[in-house]
Amino acid sequence: DAKTTQPTSMDCAEGRAANLPCNHSTISGNEYVYWYRQIHSQGPQYIIHGLKNNETNEMASLIITEDRKSSTLILPHATLRDTAVYYCIVRVADSWGKLQFGAGTQVVVTP
Amino acid sequence: DAGVTQSPTHLIKTRGQQVTLRCSPKSGHDTVSWYQQALGQGPQFIFQYYEEEERQRGNFPDRFSGHQFPNYSSELNVNALLLGDSALYLCASSLDPEGTEAFFGQGTRLTVV
């Protein structure tokens, strides 16, 4: 699986959009981009995933560049409850098993 | 739906002892994976169970073993505990091994002294 690079931390004001970048320059054609987050003292939570088209669900939007070497997770209206570590992961869908977590981005939403 | 449940929530063991952690997957899920998360790091994949067999394994020694029961619940066993085994152990379940979305439990905090 390809590896990802994320900023260590970022702050966001409550009510504003949070834009979380992720670089995955060695991603293969059959690898998807997944995002999970982990709120303190909880297990990771699935947010969204995509292959090459932009995706949106009730939690977030995922924007993938045309060359697929990077992506951005957008939390449209950040709340204090969005404070968490956000992990960007690439994996082959329809493949067995593991998620390879990196260190993630610590996002702190401030009032 | 109770989601993924793990027990116990916290555990303290002495170096050299053995420990068993338990996981009940989300209703309808037949695949269980285990992860180890050291303080300040992302979770690291230990292994995955499907149809009562270990299907994939991460870079962990044989001291780490597991089991899956016919009801899809799972156990993680760690023998000869080391201080470095102190971590949060997470269980995740999915609808199948290729499952798009993995659901994680709250984890078991293991402290080895």
Side-chain angles (χ1 to χ4, degrees):
Chain A
D1 290 344
K3 294 185 177 179
T4 63
T5 303
Q6 300 178 251
T8 303
S9 64
M10 61 183 297
D11 294 336
C12 178
E14 188 178 20
R16 303 294 294 270
N19 296 285
L20 283 62
C22 179
N23 287 319
H24 31 80
S25 59
T26 60
I27 192 170
S28 300
N30 63 345
E31 288 181 315
Y32 284 66
V33 179
Y34 285 74
W35 284 85
Y36 280 75
R37 73 179 183 183
Q38 187 172 22
I39 297 170
H40 185 60
S41 299
Q42 297 183 21
Q45 175 191 23
Y46 167 84
I47 301 174
I48 198 168
H49 78 284
L51 182 64
K52 53 184 178 181
N53 297 321
N54 298 337
E55 302 287 344
T56 295
N57 63 20
E58 65 279 3
M59 288 183 66
S61 294
L62 174 60
I63 309 297
I64 302 174
T65 58
E66 191 169 344
D67 63 7
R68 303 208 324 121
K69 293 184 177 181
S70 66
S71 60
T72 301
L73 179 74
I74 301 173
L75 308 177
H77 304 286
T79 70
L80 299 180
R81 288 173 295 187
D82 291 322
T83 292
V85 178
Y86 287 76
Y87 297 99
C88 172
I89 301 166
V90 294
R91 72 178 281 246
V92 179
D94 299 332
S95 67
W96 293 77
K98 63 183 179 181
L99 296 167
Q100 288 186 301
F101 290 84
T105 296
Q106 173 67 64
V107 173
V108 176
V109 181
T110 55
Chain B
D1 182 5
V4 179
T5 58
Q6 294 186 242
S7 62
T9 54
H10 295 83
L11 199 55
I12 300 175
K13 288 287 190 178
T14 302
R15 189 172 45 185
Q17 284 188 316
Q18 179 264 345
V19 67
T20 297
L21 310 181
R22 295 176 175 81
C23 172
S24 293
K26 184 176 170 65
S27 178
H29 287 189
D30 61 6
T31 303
V32 173
S33 300
W34 286 92
Y35 291 79
Q36 179 195 67
Q37 185 173 26
L39 205 59
Q41 299 182 20
Q44 299 301 304
F45 176 78
I46 302 175
F47 41 52
Q48 181 190 65
Y49 275 83
Y50 172 68
E51 292 186 336
E52 302 179 50
E53 290 188 14
E54 182 183 297
R55 298 291 181 167
Q56 261 208 354
R57 188 178 182 92
N59 188 26
F60 280 82
D62 291 344
R63 297 187 298 109
F64 289 77
S65 63
H67 188 78
Q68 186 178 36
F69 299 93
N71 66 353
Y72 308 129
S73 67
S74 176
E75 289 182 348
L76 164 65
N77 300 293
V78 186
N79 294 323
L81 284 167
L82 305 174
L83 297 179
D85 295 331
S86 295
L88 180 68
Y89 288 84
L90 294 160
C91 171
S93 73
S94 56
L95 279 172
D96 50 55
E98 299 86 11
T100 298
E101 182 177 352
F103 290 79
F104 285 80
Q106 299 277 67
T108 294
R109 171 71 63 188
L110 173 65
T111 302
V112 183
V113 297

